[in-house]
Amino acid sequence: MKKSKFHSLFHLLILCLTFVLGANPPIQQDSLSYYYQLANNPQTSHDLPSAFNFYSKQKKLNEMKRDTLGVVSNLRQIAIIQFNMGSYYDCESTAIEALKLLETLKEDESINDSKIGLYNQLGRVYRVLHDYDVALDNYQKAEKIEKSKKNLNIIQNNIAVVYKELGKFDLAETKFKEIYENSQTVNDSVQLARAMDNLGFIKSKLNKPEGIDLMTKALALRIKINDLQGVYASYKHLTEYYTDRNDKIKAKLYANKAFLAAKKINSISFIEDALSNLVELDEDPNIIRYKKLKDSMADARQRQDNKYALIKYNYFEQEKLVKENEIQKEKEKRAKQFSQGVVVFLLLSVFFTYFILKTRNRKEKIQQVYDTETRISKKVHDEVANDVYHVMAKLQTDAVDRNAIIDELENIYVKTRDISKENAQIDFEEDFEETLADLISSYRSEKVNIITKQLSEVKWSSVIFLKKQVIYRVLQELLTNMKKHSEATVVVLSFEKKGKKISVLYSDNGRGCHLKKGIGLQNTENRILSVKGTLNFETEIGQGFKAFITF
C-alpha cells in the first residue's frame, strides 16, 4: 500500500493548536492504553495531536522522577506519532534521543526491546526518505538483537521490502523465504499469510511459476481469517501480477476487488490507493497523463517537504551542536582554570614547604652548633679547666716536682687535642678509608688494642657523603664511650658490604653495663636513623659491649 500523504510541519502545528484551543479532552486522559490506541491506530484528525500532547506531558513527569526507561517509552510513542504525521526528521531526532538515553543504562531484555523498536522505527523513516542503505542498516541492527521469531518476521519483512523497492529481487526472495519458513513455526495466521503472499509476489517478479500459487493460497487464508488489510494487499499484488503479464481483464478484476476491500476497511488512504490502481489500468490517454502528472507533482511536493524538513532539522541540529560546543568550551575553560589553580597551589605548597624545611634546617643547625658549643664548654670545664687549676695550685707551693708538672701538662694537652678531634670538621671527600683508619688509630694505646677487619673491602667512594659522616661520628662516639667507661683492652671493628647495605660490628671486652641510653648513645642512634639505618646494642655487666650497625 502506498504511504499516506505527507503532512507538512505547518499542518502539524495547525492540528496541535486546534487540539489545544478547541478540542474537547477525552474522558480517559489517564489511560495509557487509550492514548496508545490513538497514537498507533488514529481514527480522527484530533487523535495524533491528542496523543502527542499526552506523551509529551508524560515525558516531562518521568524526567522529573528520573525514570529513564519511562522517558524512553514516551519518546518511542512520540516518534510513532511524528512518523504518522509525516514529520520524519522530527521522528528521527526523537528516536536517536531515546537511543542515546538507552546507552546510559545497563543492558537487559527490556532495554533490548526498546532498542529493537527504535531501530525499526528509524528504518521506516529512512525507507520513506528513500535512504535505503541507512534503512537497511537500522533494520539489521534490530534483527541482530531480536530473539522472538514472531517479531523477527516483522523486521525481516521490512528488510525484504527494501530489497524489493531497490529491485534486488534475488535478495528479497531469500529473505521472504526465510520469513515464510519461520512463520510456519509461529502460531499466527496473519503473519503466515503475509509471508506466503510476499514470497509468491517476489517469485512472480522473477518469473517463477510457483509464485501465483503462493499468492492464491495466501488470499484464501486471509479471506478465511477475515484479515481485511491482508485481503487488500493480496488483491493489489494480483493486480500487479496480471498487469505485468498484460492480462488487463484479470488485472481490472482484482483492482475492483481491491477497491471494494478498501471500502470495507473504511480508510481514506486505502480507498485513495485503490482508486489510483484503477486509474492506472484505464486506457484513456488523458487519464494516464493526468495520473502521471499527479504522481509527479505528489513526488515533487514530498521531496520539497523533505527538503524543508531536512533544512529545519539540520538547522536545529547545527544550533544544538553550537550550544554543545559552547558548553564544551565552558567546561574546558573551567577545567583549565582548575588545572591552573592546582598548579599554582602546588607551586605555593612547594615554596612554603621548602621555606619551612629550610627554616627548620637552619634552626636545627643552630641547635646543633649550640649543643656542640655546650658540650665543648662542659668538656673544657670538666676535663681541662679543673686539671689546669690543679696544676696552678701545685705551682704555688714551695716544693714543686718539675717532672710531675710536665706530665700533668702533657695530659692536659692530650685531653685538649681529643676534644678538638671530636668536634673538628672532617673532609670526607678525601680517602675515607684512611680518614677512618686515622680515627681508629687515635684511640689505640698501650692499654687498648683495636683490631679492624675487612675495612678495605668496602668501596667507600660509592658511599654518599651523609652516610660517611654518620658512620664516622657513630664510631667516634662508640670509641670515646669505650675509652671513658668500659676499661676494655681489646676492641674489634668488623666491616661488611652486602649489596647496597654496609654492616659494622663493634665489640669490646670491657666491663659492660646495664644499658641506659645517655646523651651519647641517643645521639648515635639518631644519627643512624637519619640515614634509614638500624643500630642495636648488646651488653651485660662483665660481658663487654656490642653494637650492630646497618645502613
Side-chain angles (χ1 to χ4, degrees):
M1 184 187 76
K2 289 187 177 179
K3 205 67 193 168
S4 61
K5 185 178 179 180
F6 174 81
H7 295 272
S8 68
L9 295 175
F10 177 77
H11 184 48
L12 169 62
L13 179 62
I14 295 297
L15 286 176
C16 289
L17 287 172
T18 301
F19 170 73
V20 172
L21 297 175
N24 292 322
I27 298 171
Q28 311 97 311
Q29 284 189 6
D30 59 343
S31 171
L32 288 173
S33 60
Y34 171 78
Y35 286 104
Y36 180 86
Q37 289 300 318
L38 291 190
N40 291 272
N41 298 294
Q43 299 298 318
T44 70
S45 61
H46 296 299
D47 288 351
L48 291 175
S50 177
F52 183 88
N53 187 51
F54 171 77
Y55 284 112
S56 296
K57 288 180 179 178
Q58 288 296 115
K59 175 178 174 284
K60 289 180 180 178
L61 289 173
N62 284 321
E63 285 174 338
M64 291 173 63
K65 293 189 292 185
R66 298 181 182 275
D67 180 3
T68 305
L69 274 178
V71 173
V72 169
S73 177
N74 300 144
L75 287 171
R76 284 183 65 185
Q77 292 305 313
I78 290 171
I80 291 170
I81 295 166
Q82 290 168 331
F83 182 85
N84 289 336
M85 283 181 162
S87 301
Y88 301 124
Y89 290 102
D90 288 330
C91 174
E92 177 192 32
S93 180
T94 301
I96 290 171
E97 180 186 352
L99 282 170
K100 286 181 179 178
L101 285 175
L102 288 174
E103 294 300 326
T104 65
L105 302 175
K106 187 177 180 181
E107 195 168 302
D108 61 22
E109 190 173 339
S110 61
I111 289 174
N112 281 341
D113 287 344
S114 297
K115 283 184 178 180
I116 291 163
L118 290 165
Y119 285 137
N120 194 58
Q121 188 66 49
L122 285 170
R124 294 176 68 200
V125 169
Y126 295 122
R127 179 186 157 204
V128 170
L129 298 175
H130 307 297
D131 196 343
Y132 295 116
D133 289 336
V134 182
L136 281 172
D137 181 58
N138 280 277
Y139 283 140
Q140 286 164 354
K141 284 179 181 178
E143 183 184 25
K144 284 180 182 177
I145 55 178
E146 180 57 78
K147 295 179 181 178
S148 165
K149 283 189 176 183
K150 187 174 180 180
N151 295 334
L152 188 62
N153 284 343
I154 296 171
I155 297 166
Q156 290 179 332
N157 186 76
N158 291 336
I159 293 172
V161 169
V162 173
Y163 286 144
K164 182 188 75 174
E165 291 180 0
L166 286 170
K168 297 179 178 180
F169 297 134
D170 290 332
L171 290 175
E173 181 190 23
T174 301
K175 210 69 182 174
F176 278 132
K177 186 177 180 182
E178 184 180 347
I179 297 164
Y180 178 58
E181 290 172 354
N182 286 340
S183 298
Q184 291 176 326
T185 64
V186 177
N187 186 23
D188 189 329
S189 299
V190 173
Q191 277 203 17
L192 178 61
R194 181 175 61 230
M196 194 185 304
D197 180 53
N198 284 332
L199 180 59
F201 179 74
I202 210 69
K203 281 182 178 292
S204 72
K205 288 290 184 181
L206 293 167
N207 294 316
K208 294 185 178 181
E210 64 267 28
I212 186 62
D213 293 334
L214 286 169
M215 284 192 286
T216 304
K217 288 179 181 178
L219 174 61
L221 179 57
R222 282 169 162 171
I223 292 171
K224 181 181 178 182
I225 61 175
N226 197 30
D227 177 13
L228 293 180
Q229 291 186 12
V231 169
Y232 176 83
S234 285
Y235 285 148
K236 186 175 178 181
H237 278 166
L238 288 166
T239 300
E240 189 170 342
Y241 173 81
Y242 286 111
T243 300
D244 289 343
R245 283 149 185 81
N246 205 27
D247 189 341
K248 293 186 177 180
I249 295 174
K250 286 188 176 180
K252 285 183 179 180
L253 172 66
Y254 284 110
N256 281 309
K257 287 185 176 184
F259 176 69
L260 293 173
K263 289 176 68 176
K264 284 185 179 180
I265 296 169
N266 194 25
S267 166
I268 293 173
S269 59
F270 276 86
I271 292 171
E272 182 186 9
D273 187 61
L275 288 171
S276 176
N277 290 332
L278 283 169
V279 169
E280 284 182 359
L281 293 171
D282 198 298
E283 296 179 359
D284 188 324
N286 290 327
I287 292 177
I288 293 171
R289 281 196 295 271
Y290 170 76
K291 177 67 170 58
K292 287 182 178 179
L293 179 62
K294 183 175 179 295
D295 288 344
S296 177
M297 290 176 64
D299 185 62
R301 189 180 297 112
Q302 177 152 334
R303 289 181 183 276
Q304 190 70 10
D305 287 339
N306 288 348
K307 179 181 176 182
Y308 288 135
L310 180 59
I311 291 170
K312 181 183 176 183
Y313 175 74
N314 287 338
Y315 171 77
F316 284 121
E317 281 295 301
Q318 191 64 32
E319 189 177 38
K320 182 181 176 184
L321 186 62
V322 169
K323 288 180 180 178
E324 287 176 351
N325 286 337
E326 288 176 355
I327 293 170
Q328 184 63 30
K329 285 180 181 178
E330 184 64 25
K331 285 182 180 178
E332 289 174 358
K333 182 180 176 182
R334 290 180 182 177
K336 187 177 180 180
Q337 290 174 342
F338 176 76
S339 300
Q340 291 173 341
V342 169
V343 170
V344 171
F345 174 76
L346 289 174
L347 289 173
L348 289 173
S349 299
V350 169
F351 172 76
F352 283 116
T353 302
Y354 171 76
F355 178 77
I356 290 168
L357 291 175
K358 188 175 180 181
T359 303
R360 183 183 298 170
N361 188 48
R362 186 167 63 249
K363 287 181 179 179
E364 288 177 352
K365 285 184 177 180
I366 293 170
Q367 184 64 39
Q368 286 176 1
V369 171
Y370 173 77
D371 292 342
T372 301
E373 289 175 349
T374 302
R375 188 173 65 254
I376 294 170
S377 175
K378 188 174 185 301
K379 277 180 174 284
V380 170
H381 178 271
D382 293 346
E383 299 181 17
V384 179
N386 288 338
D387 289 347
V388 171
Y389 179 80
H390 182 65
V391 170
M392 288 172 62
K394 281 187 177 182
L395 289 172
Q396 291 174 359
T397 61
D398 294 332
V400 177
D401 185 346
R402 181 181 179 83
N403 292 328
I405 292 298
I406 290 173
D407 288 340
E408 288 189 25
L409 286 174
E410 187 177 353
N411 287 333
I412 291 171
Y413 167 75
V414 170
K415 288 181 179 180
T416 305
R417 186 192 65 187
D418 290 344
I419 291 170
S420 176
K421 280 186 177 182
E422 285 179 16
N423 298 280
Q425 289 293 327
I426 309 300
D427 186 1
F428 296 113
E429 297 301 326
E430 293 184 356
D431 189 344
F432 184 70
E433 183 182 341
E434 186 177 338
T435 302
L436 211 53
D438 287 344
L439 170 69
I440 294 167
S441 179
S442 68
Y443 285 92
R444 286 193 180 100
S445 65
E446 293 179 356
K447 294 181 180 180
V448 181
N449 182 24
I450 301 177
I451 302 167
T452 60
K453 294 181 178 181
Q454 299 176 320
L455 175 61
S456 60
E457 291 187 10
V458 178
K459 190 177 180 181
W460 294 104
S461 60
S462 64
V463 179
I464 62 172
F465 174 85
L466 182 59
K467 287 188 176 182
K468 290 177 183 177
Q469 187 181 47
V470 167
I471 193 60
Y472 185 92
R473 293 303 182 190
V474 167
L475 290 178
Q476 186 180 54
E477 193 74 44
L478 290 172
L479 290 169
T480 300
N481 189 67
M482 174 274 298
K483 187 174 181 180
K484 287 182 180 179
H485 307 295
S486 74
E487 300 179 2
T489 58
V490 178
V491 177
V492 178
L493 287 169
S494 298
F495 297 84
E496 187 178 6
K497 182 86 183 296
K498 292 182 178 179
K500 294 182 179 181
K501 294 285 186 181
I502 296 174
S503 297
V504 181
L505 169 61
Y506 169 92
S507 177
D508 68 41
N509 63 347
R511 63 183 181 178
C513 63
H514 291 301
L515 187 62
K516 182 179 180 182
K517 295 179 184 177
I519 294 174
L521 291 181
Q522 187 63 57
N523 286 340
T524 301
E525 192 168 30
N526 290 340
R527 289 180 192 275
I528 290 295
L529 291 174
S530 71
V531 291
K532 297 182 180 179
T534 59
L535 175 62
N536 295 307
F537 300 110
E538 186 180 306
T539 182
E540 291 290 340
I541 298 294
Q543 299 297 319
F545 185 89
K546 291 182 180 180
F548 302 91
I549 307 165
T550 303
F551 64 95

